[in-house]
């Protein structure tokens, strides 16, 4: 199959021609690293698996390759072992208690203290549940409030957001446990939930050795549940199911054989029942290590993370610090399988090598996963797989194990990368419940680069929403053209029909869009540019005065095929289908809403012409008709008919008919999720409410509310001023000649100012001065009061 496809290959970090191993160039073998199933998948996983699904669809549905898509399920892993074992032991421990007694509280205090010492060592060792809030604020306040105390601390935190997120996670866990300990009389269930974060690792540290390595059900119970939930999430996101699914627990013997072959070839060594890959021996034989991320080769933190939290801590026996475990001797409390080296379990990296090679062979086309898997996981897979397939320690059976590595970029929200271990993620289920749609998320990813990071921020969300609505509006417009014109003639996209009209420009735009789209796709799956080509075509279509209906249908079918190919519609397409789901009102609404829209059009026309002719509107209901409460569309239709009949009986003015038309559009149908788009010289367009229409109304209502609030504030201020003025004016009623003629004084001058107090003593000079000021102020008020009376104010 001839193809111009070039792909960005992490092996070499360049764009390369895509040439399948298949001699005919059609069949493609693809292995994708699947999930580690111990918790629900989050949006970071969605980034990887949706993006991979888009690329898979492009290869199969657009470029015509026959792809064998293999995905593994990691159901044996240090994180899984810890999570499953902790949950099992914690549940078993809780069964011993019916209430929160002294033993529960003592154990929780010990767990709390141990958790703080291990994870928050900067806190005072005297920290208790009661002092935790103040102590954590004092010690970690700059992190909690994102305001580092110094420039040095700020640079440190910005350089490593994962460390900041980890501290926040430990603070949240500790805070919850501190609150549990301070609860007066909680139920055991309430207490267990809040204190679980510190109790889970503590109970595990005390009782992990009580679990038999042969009791695999303890671990598979967890993994089976989360594998099922993972594929449920994938279906919700319209991600296609793999052609082949492999599970580590089903590959024990094959993994043992794979490790044994590497050891026999001289590239692995045993230590106390574990087997380690010998990087030095591999490189001495001419092999290459860390080809994907050579800059990370000596990153001890990444190496330790790749080995897992349950790995042997003392590594002095290793021939090289970068050597990694192929097979791990199982310790008490860990699942185990038989092997030549004793009871043990697979290392993380060897799992994928064995499974991918078993299904796809010693040399296949594509290996994919998130960018954080490049090192050490995929680099280790490459090294051990090539060491496995080498001949007598020299040379290789092929040019390599994998030809192309596809690594999807990170997804960040507010600058942070989501992580299960950091517990800072939004699950796919939560995202879909909170308003995300499978289509909306997929469009966001399509508008970005598949191998670059994506930051979900308001601007990107707005761009994705705008693109979706532009396409939806295009589909609605073409459907409306088809309904109004039939199969002949031409029609203006935004206007009236013109028989036999045609335009060559839109046809050229269409051909260019198809070429631009293909060039973008073949340029390493440049979906962003491909999406732009669709957008530009729709803009060109909308700008044309007249478009032949046949051309409009041809364009719309191509756009429909392309968005379907991208997986933007979960519904199976019908032959010749135009559009995607969500551009039409519900089928159960159509028998009632379309007639309602037609009746409303007639009423509006008559009202605008100020010539209400009820018989010309057709037979309408003029009395109550019984409909059940759930027949909302039938009720909307009947209510509008009765409204019009009622207005006619009242002899209502035309403006009242127009008001009724507006009310059914803006309130009744709006609340049913349906919008009537009034168009000059055409019937109203019946369509579902879109996000932008809802947003526009919310913004209008918000502006109106703000304007009303400002107006009310202005009116209140005016009223307050008028009340204050009136109060001051009322004070002026008192004549200054009389204001001091009280029992407090015994003599006054001609102006009414006191000269002697009640005992007959002269008023002091300072007192007279004060009284004079008060008298003068009252005189001014009194003169204003008299003037207001004279003018009638």
């Amino acid at each position: 199959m001839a193809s111009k496809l070039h792909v960005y290959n992490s092996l070499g970090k360049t764009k390369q021609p895509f040439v399948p191993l298949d001699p005919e160039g059609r069949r493609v073998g693809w292995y994708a690293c699947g999930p580690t199933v111990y918790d629900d998948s989050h949006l970071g996983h969605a980034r990887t698996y949706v993006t991979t699904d888009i690329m898979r669809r492009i290869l199969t549905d657009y470029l015509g390759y026959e792809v064998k898509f293999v995905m593994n399920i990691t159901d044996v892993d240090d994180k899984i072992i810890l999570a499953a074992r902790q949950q099992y032991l914690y549940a078993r421990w809780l069964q011993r208690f019916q209430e929160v007694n002294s033993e529960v509280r003592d154990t929780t205090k010990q767990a709390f203290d141990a958790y703080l010492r291990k994870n928050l060592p900067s806190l005072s060792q005297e920290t208790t549940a009661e002092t935790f809030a103040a102590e954590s604020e004092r010690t970690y306040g700059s992190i909690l409030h994102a305001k580092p105390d110094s420039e040095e601390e700020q640079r440190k935190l910005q350089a490593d957001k994962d460390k900041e997120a980890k501290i926040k996670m430990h603070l949240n866990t500790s805070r919850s446990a501190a609150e549990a300990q301070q609860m007066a009389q909680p139920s055991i269930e309430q207490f267990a939930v809040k204190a679980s974060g510190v109790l889970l690792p503590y109970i595990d540290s005390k009782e992990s050795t009580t679990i038999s390595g042969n009791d695999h059900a303890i671990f598979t119970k967890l993994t089976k549940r989360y594998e099922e939930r993972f594929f449920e999430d994938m279906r919700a996101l319209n991600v296609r199911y793999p052609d082949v699914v492999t599970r580590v627990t089903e590959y024990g013997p094959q993994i043992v054989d794979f490790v044994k072959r590497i050891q026999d070839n001289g590239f692995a060594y045993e230590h106390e029942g574990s087997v380690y890959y010998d990087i030095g021996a591999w490189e001495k034989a001419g092999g290459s290590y860390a080809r994907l991320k050579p800059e990370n080769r000596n990153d001890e933190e990444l190496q330790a993370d790749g080995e897992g939290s349950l790995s042997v801590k003392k590594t002095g026996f290793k021939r090289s610090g970068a050597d990694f475990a192929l097979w791990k001797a199982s310790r008490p409390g860990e699942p185990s399988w038989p092997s030549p080296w004793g009871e043990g379990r697979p290392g993380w990296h060897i799992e994928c090598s064995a499974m991918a090679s078993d299904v796809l062979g010693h040399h296949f086309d594509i290996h994919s996963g998130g960018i954080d898997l490049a090192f050490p996981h995929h680099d280790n897979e490459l090294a051990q797989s090539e060491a496995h397939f080498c001949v007598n320690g020299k040379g290789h059976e092929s040019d390599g194990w994998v030809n192309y590595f596809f690594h999807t970029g990170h997804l960040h929200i507010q600058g942070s990368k989501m992580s299960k271990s950091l517990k800072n993620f939004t699950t796919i289920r939560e995202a879909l419940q909170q308003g995300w749609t499978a289509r909306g998320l997929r469009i966001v990813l399509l508008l970005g680069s598949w191998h670059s990071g994506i930051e979900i921020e308001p601007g990107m969300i707005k761009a994705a929403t705008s693109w979706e609505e532009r396409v939806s509006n295009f589909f609605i417009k073409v459907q409306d053209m088809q309904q109004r014109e039939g199969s002949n003639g031409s029609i203006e996209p935004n206007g009236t029909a013109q028989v036999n009209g045609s335009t060559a420009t839109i046809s050229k735009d269409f051909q260019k869009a198809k070429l631009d789209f293909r060039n973008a796709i073949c340029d390493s799956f440049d979906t962003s540019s491909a999406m732009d080509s669709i957008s530009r075509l729709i803009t060109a279509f909308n700008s044309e005065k007249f478009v032949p209906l046949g051309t409009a249908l041809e364009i719309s079918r191509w756009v429909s095929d392309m968005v379907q190919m991208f997986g933007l519609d979960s519904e199976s397409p019908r032959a010749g289908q135009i559009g995607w789901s969500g551009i039409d009102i519900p089928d159960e609404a159509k028998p009632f809403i379309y007639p309602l829209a037609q009746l409303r059009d007639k009423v509006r026309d008559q009202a605008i012409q100020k010539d209400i002719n009820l018989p010309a509107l057709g037979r309408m209901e003029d009395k109550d008709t019984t409909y059940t409460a759930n027949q909302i569309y039938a009720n909307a239709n009947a209510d509008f008919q009765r409204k019009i009949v009622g207005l006619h009986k009242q002899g209502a003015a035309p403006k009242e008919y127009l008001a009724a038309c507006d009310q059914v559009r803006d309130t009744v149908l709006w609340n049913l999720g349906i919008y009537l788009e009034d168009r000059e010289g055409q019937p109203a367009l019946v369509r579902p409410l879109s996000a932008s229409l809802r947003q526009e109304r919310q913004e209008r209502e918000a502006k109106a509310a703000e304007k009303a609030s400002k107006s009310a504030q202005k009116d209140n201020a005016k009223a307050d001023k008028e009340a204050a003025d009136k109060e001051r004016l009322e004070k002026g009623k008192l004549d200054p000649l009389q204001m001091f003629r009280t029992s407090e004084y015994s003599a006054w001058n001609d102006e009414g100012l006191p000269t002697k107090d009640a005992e007959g003593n002269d008023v002091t000079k300072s007192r007279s001065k004060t009284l004079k000021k008060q008298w003068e102020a009252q005189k001014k008020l009194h003169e204003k009061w008299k003037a207001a009376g004279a003018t009638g104010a």
Side-chain angles (χ1 to χ4, degrees):
M1 170 183 172
S3 173
K4 298 178 181 179
L5 177 64
H6 286 65
V7 296
Y8 180 84
N9 189 356
S10 296
L11 278 172
K13 299 179 176 58
T14 59
K15 288 182 185 178
Q16 302 171 1
F18 182 68
V19 182
L21 291 168
D22 174 34
E24 296 181 2
R26 298 187 61 85
R27 291 184 294 276
V28 175
W30 186 339
Y31 180 85
C33 271
T36 301
V37 283
Y38 68 95
D39 204 343
D40 278 329
S41 299
H42 54 64
L43 284 179
H45 298 119
R47 189 309 190 239
T48 294
Y49 297 120
V50 172
T51 298
T52 301
D53 181 71
I54 291 169
M55 298 162 72
R56 177 187 177 190
R57 287 170 178 266
I58 289 172
L59 286 179
T60 58
D61 298 5
Y62 185 72
L63 297 175
Y65 290 101
E66 298 174 8
V67 176
K68 186 174 186 178
F69 190 84
V70 184
M71 177 182 284
N72 79 294
I73 298 295
T74 297
D75 55 358
V76 177
D77 171 85
D78 285 20
K79 294 175 181 177
I80 290 172
I81 294 170
L82 273 175
R85 193 176 69 199
Q86 286 180 357
Q87 291 179 27
Y88 171 79
L89 292 173
Y90 187 43
R92 190 177 73 177
W93 181 78
L94 284 174
Q95 288 176 352
R96 294 164 45 193
F97 307 101
Q98 299 299 316
E99 60 183 13
V100 182
N101 57 22
S102 58
E103 183 180 352
V104 172
R105 290 191 178 277
D106 289 344
T107 302
T108 303
K109 182 181 183 305
Q110 295 167 15
F112 180 73
D113 293 342
Y115 192 91
L116 296 190
R117 287 194 301 272
K118 179 180 180 182
N119 301 299
L120 298 170
S122 296
L123 290 177
S124 166
Q125 291 192 4
E126 306 302 319
T127 302
T128 65
E130 290 73 23
T131 63
F132 174 79
E135 183 67 19
S136 61
E137 182 70 27
R138 182 185 68 80
T139 307
Y140 295 105
S142 59
I143 293 177
L144 287 169
H145 305 298
K147 293 180 180 180
D149 293 333
S150 66
E151 291 185 6
E152 181 181 354
E153 184 181 0
Q154 184 176 14
R155 285 194 297 271
K156 181 179 178 182
L157 291 178
Q158 287 178 341
D160 195 345
K161 284 186 173 292
D162 283 357
K163 289 183 179 179
E164 178 183 350
K166 188 173 292 186
I167 291 173
K168 289 181 178 180
M169 176 191 72
H170 292 316
L171 288 170
N172 289 335
T173 299
S174 303
R175 184 181 302 109
S176 179
E179 292 170 355
Q181 294 177 78
Q182 296 177 78
M183 296 169 72
Q185 293 180 322
S187 68
I188 189 67
E189 291 79 14
Q190 292 172 322
F191 189 90
V193 170
K194 292 189 74 68
S196 63
V198 301
L199 282 169
L200 280 164
Y202 185 76
I203 300 299
D204 180 72
S205 69
K206 300 297 181 182
E207 302 184 8
S208 62
T209 57
T210 64
I211 292 179
S212 168
N214 295 322
D215 194 353
H216 295 170
I218 290 175
F219 307 97
T220 56
K221 179 180 179 182
L222 176 78
T223 58
K224 287 179 179 178
R225 175 158 62 96
Y226 282 111
E227 177 186 336
E228 182 179 345
R229 290 172 69 85
F230 168 77
F231 282 118
E232 287 175 356
D233 290 341
M234 293 302 100
R235 285 193 294 272
L237 294 177
N238 199 26
V239 173
R240 287 177 176 169
Y241 196 78
D243 297 314
V244 180
V245 175
T246 62
R247 298 172 184 85
V248 179
T249 53
E250 299 169 355
Y251 267 80
Q254 295 95 321
I255 292 173
V256 168
D257 291 344
F258 205 94
V259 174
K260 189 68 171 61
R261 172 91 177 261
I262 296 173
Q263 185 182 28
D264 292 343
N265 286 344
F267 301 116
Y269 55 91
E270 180 188 357
H271 176 76
E272 296 181 352
S274 296
V275 181
Y276 291 85
Y277 185 82
D278 191 339
I279 292 175
W282 174 243
E283 292 185 323
K284 187 176 180 180
S288 178
Y289 178 68
R291 292 158 60 191
L292 292 167
K293 287 281 187 176
E295 67 274 17
N296 291 341
R297 176 189 175 109
N298 298 316
D299 190 318
E300 294 181 358
E301 187 173 346
L302 288 175
Q303 290 170 355
D305 186 59
E307 288 294 83
S309 59
L310 298 177
S311 296
V312 176
K313 303 305 178 186
K314 295 181 180 180
T315 59
F317 64 88
K318 285 188 177 183
R319 297 175 182 176
S320 166
D323 290 354
F324 54 91
L326 301 173
W327 184 263
K328 297 180 179 181
S330 292
R331 291 175 290 185
E334 299 176 1
S336 61
W337 287 264
S339 80
W341 316 281
E343 293 291 311
R345 57 190 176 87
W348 175 31
H349 317 296
I350 199 68
E351 301 168 351
C352 288
S353 289
M355 292 186 289
S357 301
D358 181 72
V359 179
L360 297 175
H362 67 275
H363 193 191
F364 56 95
D365 297 291
I366 302 171
H367 195 326
S368 66
I371 187 60
D372 51 353
L373 296 181
F375 184 90
H377 187 50
H378 288 163
D379 266 323
N380 289 358
E381 283 185 44
L382 268 174
Q384 67 198 11
S385 299
E386 292 177 349
H388 173 276
F389 290 112
C390 75
V391 180
N392 298 323
K394 297 180 181 179
H396 300 276
E397 292 181 353
S398 65
D399 295 330
W401 184 55
V402 175
N403 278 3
Y404 304 92
F405 263 99
F406 294 166
H407 286 113
T408 57
H410 286 308
L411 180 141
H412 292 80
I413 296 180
Q414 298 178 343
S416 296
K417 175 173 72 77
M418 281 176 287
S419 166
K420 284 183 182 179
S421 59
L422 295 179
K423 301 178 183 177
N424 67 339
F425 56 84
T426 299
T427 68
I428 293 171
R429 290 164 186 254
E430 290 169 340
L432 294 177
Q433 291 170 357
Q434 293 168 4
W436 277 98
T437 65
R439 179 183 296 162
L441 177 60
R442 193 170 282 244
I443 290 173
V444 166
L445 300 180
L446 282 161
L447 290 176
S449 168
W450 66 269
H451 60 83
S452 300
I454 288 181
E455 174 81 21
I456 291 187
E457 41 83 24
M460 173 161 277
I461 295 174
K462 184 176 181 180
T465 301
S466 176
W467 192 92
E468 180 178 359
E469 294 207 353
R470 183 181 297 113
V471 175
S472 287
N473 290 337
F474 165 72
F475 286 144
I476 291 171
K477 197 170 294 183
V478 174
Q479 283 186 342
D480 180 61
M481 291 171 61
Q482 188 178 25
Q483 291 171 0
R484 287 187 288 127
E485 183 62 15
S487 58
N488 298 309
S490 309
I491 196 160
E492 183 182 352
N494 296 293
T496 57
Q498 175 177 311
V499 177
N500 297 324
S502 63
T503 176
T505 303
I506 190 62
S507 295
K508 292 180 180 178
D509 291 332
F510 182 29
Q511 296 306 315
K512 184 177 187 305
K514 290 193 291 185
L515 179 60
D516 290 346
F517 185 93
R518 183 174 183 85
N519 287 339
I521 291 299
C522 289
D523 185 15
S524 189
F525 310 109
D526 182 3
T527 57
S528 178
S529 296
M531 300 279 274
D532 284 344
S533 68
I534 293 175
S535 186
R536 289 193 301 271
L537 176 60
I538 291 173
T539 298
F541 176 87
N542 291 336
S543 65
E544 287 293 333
K545 187 174 182 181
F546 296 105
V547 177
L549 182 59
T551 302
L553 292 174
E554 185 181 2
I555 293 172
S556 65
R557 289 191 182 104
W558 178 78
V559 174
S560 299
D561 289 343
M562 294 307 98
V563 297
Q564 184 71 40
M565 182 270 294
F566 278 148
L568 293 177
D569 200 0
S570 58
E571 295 184 1
S572 299
R574 300 181 299 273
Q577 173 182 331
I578 293 176
W580 54 24
S581 60
I583 62 170
D584 209 352
I585 65 174
D587 288 340
E588 60 268 26
K590 293 177 182 178
F592 305 101
I593 301 306
Y594 284 136
L596 168 57
Q598 293 168 2
L599 172 61
R600 178 180 172 276
D601 286 337
K602 294 178 182 178
V603 172
R604 287 186 77 247
D605 288 343
Q606 289 187 4
I608 290 171
Q609 298 298 324
K610 297 182 179 180
D611 181 18
I612 304 301
N613 184 350
L614 192 66
L617 298 175
R619 183 178 178 277
M620 292 191 292
E621 297 192 30
D622 60 357
K623 59 183 178 179
D624 288 342
T625 302
T626 302
Y627 293 105
T628 60
N630 62 350
Q631 291 178 297
I632 52 177
Y633 306 114
N635 284 320
N637 189 328
D639 288 345
F640 183 68
Q641 293 182 41
R642 286 193 289 268
K643 179 69 174 179
I644 299 305
V645 171
L647 288 174
H648 188 265
K649 290 180 178 179
Q650 298 167 16
K655 65 179 182 180
E656 294 185 58
Y657 287 90
L658 290 175
C661 291
D662 289 346
Q663 193 267 343
V664 76
R665 177 195 64 197
D666 298 337
T667 302
V668 176
L669 295 182
W670 183 280
N671 292 337
L672 295 177
I674 297 173
Y675 183 64
L676 295 185
E677 182 180 324
D678 288 322
R679 302 177 294 182
E680 186 176 354
Q682 300 179 65
L685 181 62
V686 181
R687 55 173 300 167
L689 273 181
S690 65
S692 65
L693 287 171
R694 295 181 191 275
Q695 182 66 26
E696 287 172 8
R697 173 177 276 203
Q698 290 174 359
E699 291 175 355
R700 287 198 306 271
E701 291 176 347
K703 288 180 180 179
E706 182 181 3
K707 184 177 180 181
S709 176
K710 289 181 178 179
S711 178
Q713 292 176 3
K714 186 176 180 180
D715 291 343
N716 291 337
K718 182 179 179 181
D720 291 343
K721 183 178 182 302
E722 290 175 349
D725 291 344
K726 184 177 181 181
E727 183 179 358
R728 285 194 296 272
L729 197 60
E730 287 296 314
K731 289 180 179 179
K733 291 174 66 175
L734 178 62
D735 191 328
L737 294 174
Q738 304 299 322
M739 66 182 295
F740 295 122
R741 293 186 182 276
T742 65
S743 59
E744 188 178 353
Y745 306 101
S746 59
W748 302 266
N749 63 17
D750 293 342
E751 292 179 324
L753 287 166
T755 56
K756 295 182 181 295
D757 61 19
E759 287 75 24
N761 299 317
D762 290 339
V763 175
T764 64
K765 288 184 178 180
S766 61
R767 179 63 175 160
S768 293
K769 188 176 180 179
T770 300
L771 295 174
K772 179 66 173 178
K773 288 182 179 180
Q774 295 176 359
W775 183 90
E776 289 174 346
Q778 184 61 30
K779 181 182 179 182
K780 291 180 181 179
L781 290 174
H782 188 63
E783 289 173 350
K784 288 183 179 180
W785 177 79
K786 289 193 295 184
T791 60

